[in-house]
Amino acid sequence: MNKNEKTHENSEAKKVSLEQLIRKKLEKDGKRNATKEVYVKSLDANLTVKNPSDTQKIEFADKTKTGSYIDMMEAYGKLIYDCCPMLHSKELQESIEVSYPYDTVKAIFDTEEITEIGIKVLNFFDNEEEDDADEKLKNS
């Protein structure tokens, strides 16, 4: 910790209240169950996605730490599949002839779309990600 940074571990810091903890838990639950619409250009329609869990974000980060494009595409595909309940449809998987559920994403979307959708899912609560998606794609 930098010497100039103040710590909140001093006696002046107020104590957390029970109400604050309850509010924090309810806020976390609300975020966990949140959904949003992600526009998919090739479909000219919105895809409903769920907020990724902390575990899903950690798995994504772990999978992509190698810097491998293949690992990144697999991680985005898994993230999209896990966060889009519509893709879990057995009827959909049978009709597009995929035997492994995570292949559903690759069967429907091209690599550019997978990356774009993946970025939007990963940055679920980032208001600027809609405007910066193209720039993030160029830098990934």
Side-chain angles (χ1 to χ4, degrees):
M1 181 182 294
N2 185 328
K3 287 183 182 180
N4 295 330
E5 290 182 59
K6 280 191 167 183
T7 123
H8 293 286
E9 297 175 9
N10 62 31
S11 61
E12 296 174 26
K14 64 181 179 178
K15 294 196 182 247
V16 171
S17 71
L18 185 59
E19 290 79 20
Q20 285 175 301
L21 293 175
I22 292 169
R23 242 188 341 267
K24 176 74 172 162
K25 168 67 168 113
L26 293 174
E27 179 183 308
K28 185 176 180 181
D29 287 349
K31 286 182 177 181
R32 181 179 334 167
N33 299 321
T35 61
K36 79 174 187 177
E37 303 298 313
V38 173
Y39 180 74
V40 180
K41 187 176 181 180
S42 66
L43 299 173
D44 191 28
N46 290 321
L47 185 65
T48 302
V49 295
K50 298 185 317 182
N51 182 24
S53 68
D54 290 341
T55 301
Q56 289 167 325
K57 291 175 188 175
I58 291 167
E59 286 175 359
F60 177 86
D62 189 54
K63 182 73 172 172
T64 59
K65 70 182 176 188
T66 65
S68 160
Y69 187 73
I70 292 170
D71 289 345
M72 183 184 73
M73 292 309 296
E74 285 180 18
Y76 274 136
K78 183 179 185 319
L79 183 70
I80 293 166
Y81 179 83
D82 288 345
C83 293
C84 184
M86 183 179 248
L87 298 178
H88 298 195
S89 163
K90 295 295 178 200
E91 181 182 350
L92 170 65
Q93 293 169 9
E94 288 171 6
S95 66
I96 62 173
E97 300 176 351
V98 296
S99 54
Y100 183 62
Y102 290 112
D103 288 342
T104 306
V105 175
K106 291 187 287 188
I108 297 172
F109 306 109
D110 64 25
T111 55
E112 184 178 313
E113 289 175 315
I114 291 170
T115 304
E116 184 176 330
I117 296 166
I119 287 170
K120 290 178 180 179
V121 171
L122 195 58
N123 298 312
F124 194 87
F125 286 106
D126 182 359
N127 293 330
E128 296 177 13
E129 57 87 11
E130 298 289 335
D131 299 328
D132 295 343
D134 290 334
E135 187 170 321
K136 288 179 183 180
L137 281 172
K138 292 175 190 173
N139 295 328
S140 60

